[in-house]
Amino acid sequence: MALVMSLDSEMKGKSTIFFPDIVKPDIMNFINENGESKKISKGELVPKSILLNNFIYLKSGLLFYIKRTNNYTKPKFVNVITPNRLTDYHLLLENNCTCCKSIKVARDSEIIIVDKSLIKNLIKNDIELFTRFMFDANYFTERQTALAIFLLTSSPEDKLIKFLFDILVALKTPFTSMWLTIDIKLTREEIADILHISVIKLDLMLGSLKKNGMLTKEKGIFSVNAALFTELSPCPLGREDAQGCKSNNMLKFKTKNMIEINNL
């Protein structure tokens, strides 16, 4: 069975599911050239009009991307969006309903919004960049599906370990020390929402990790013992034949193949 700790930094990034990928340089250039910057305050919701018609890129701060379920007695699905990432590839080519999704500003943030019509026009003006958007959109969707399956089928303990690992990777933490610092402050309630569990269950798990010498907390900052991740699989679903989160189904979305498809 492949072990996640033995992977290089790039493969560690591919094995994460709690955080979207960092935006690629070519897309980043497009966003900077065509986007509009906005500063938004903690506690605000990004207006639906913006969510419906635009791509939203986080330049600085912290966002929670929230997806409502049909069961009002269960928690919502919450994604943490850290800087240099798009919040979603939802409705890439269509302007339809977004009633089940919202973006909450978790910390004072700066976003860049890009009109989706500009993305659509790339199919005529820059097919290679358009293909990159489509590739990343499909990869984003696949990882979101893997996350939903993982959250609904894994134990609370496995979810916590996987989240701690993913956040360390997202923060580009070098896995070279016994103790790894998670340099971001999240409340108990926020972590519980992200893991789709109760605050009480989270407190019990954190207490157990502290008791067993796997976790410390000082001034709101967690430090994790690297031994916690020793047997973590690269696959979020724990498959023994895992080669990372990107499945073989993604091969059909390779840039060259998509260009050929669009030229048929």
Side-chain angles (χ1 to χ4, degrees):
M1 176 172 145
L3 299 178
V4 74
M5 288 298 287
S6 64
L7 301 177
D8 60 29
S9 58
E10 182 181 356
M11 287 304 298
K12 281 187 174 73
K14 290 179 180 178
S15 74
T16 62
I17 52 174
F18 278 97
F19 300 89
D21 264 352
I22 292 177
V23 171
K24 305 295 189 302
D26 50 355
I27 294 180
M28 185 68 261
N29 291 336
F30 179 85
I31 290 172
N32 284 326
E33 292 172 2
N34 297 277
E36 176 187 355
S37 180
K38 290 183 177 293
K39 291 186 177 181
I40 43 182
S41 301
K42 177 180 177 180
E44 291 185 24
L45 290 175
V46 175
K48 289 288 186 178
S49 58
I50 292 179
L51 178 60
L52 181 64
N53 299 308
N54 300 276
F55 266 33
I56 301 171
Y57 168 86
L58 180 62
K59 186 174 182 180
S60 64
L62 193 72
L63 302 177
F64 290 153
Y65 184 65
I66 302 167
K67 287 154 283 186
R68 177 176 54 80
T69 68
N70 288 328
N71 188 340
Y72 292 95
T73 66
K74 295 290 181 69
K76 300 174 182 178
F77 288 110
V78 178
N79 279 119
V80 185
I81 308 297
T82 54
N84 305 318
R85 289 164 170 82
L86 289 164
T87 57
D88 194 1
Y89 288 82
H90 178 57
L91 307 175
L92 178 62
L93 301 177
E94 298 292 336
N95 295 329
N96 293 321
C97 177
T98 60
C99 62
C100 63
K101 302 185 179 186
S102 60
I103 297 176
K104 182 178 180 181
V105 185
R107 310 290 184 266
D108 290 350
S109 301
E110 182 177 358
I111 62 173
I112 299 177
I113 63 174
V114 181
D115 193 311
K116 286 193 297 185
S117 64
L118 298 175
I119 314 297
K120 296 179 185 179
N121 289 336
L122 286 174
I123 199 169
K124 300 176 182 177
N125 304 326
D126 190 339
I127 185 62
E128 290 189 9
L129 185 56
F130 177 79
T131 302
R132 168 62 73 183
F133 268 105
M134 294 299 292
F135 176 88
D136 286 359
N138 280 287
Y139 188 29
F140 179 96
T141 301
E142 179 169 298
R143 290 173 78 161
Q144 288 292 289
T145 301
L147 176 60
I149 294 172
F150 177 75
L151 289 173
L152 294 173
T153 60
S154 301
S155 69
E157 290 78 10
D158 285 347
K159 288 192 282 189
L160 177 58
I161 292 172
K162 177 61 176 168
F163 174 69
L164 292 173
F165 172 81
D166 281 14
I167 197 170
L168 285 165
V169 173
L171 295 174
K172 297 184 177 180
T173 305
F175 285 73
T176 55
S177 304
M178 178 181 294
W179 286 96
L180 309 170
T181 300
I182 298 177
D183 194 16
I184 184 173
K185 290 184 179 181
L186 294 169
T187 68
R188 294 157 53 250
E189 291 78 12
E190 289 170 346
I191 297 174
D193 282 344
I194 293 164
L195 299 182
H196 217 58
I197 60 174
S198 70
V199 176
I200 294 175
K201 180 59 180 177
L202 176 64
D203 286 343
L204 290 172
M205 292 190 297
L206 293 176
S208 177
L209 289 177
K210 291 176 183 176
K211 182 178 179 180
N212 293 325
M214 291 289 106
L215 186 75
T216 64
K217 185 177 182 182
E218 184 175 352
K219 297 182 180 179
I221 300 293
F222 286 108
S223 291
V224 185
N225 192 316
L228 187 65
F229 309 120
T230 299
E231 297 184 358
L232 186 62
S233 166
C235 177
L237 304 183
R239 289 176 48 198
E240 292 187 358
D241 62 343
Q243 295 298 321
C245 180
K246 187 184 287 188
S247 78
N248 290 332
N249 289 334
M250 288 304 298
L251 293 177
K252 62 179 175 288
F253 295 115
K254 282 185 175 179
T255 301
K256 180 177 180 295
N257 292 343
M258 292 199 69
I259 291 174
E260 290 175 353
I261 291 170
N262 280 286
N263 286 336
L264 291 177

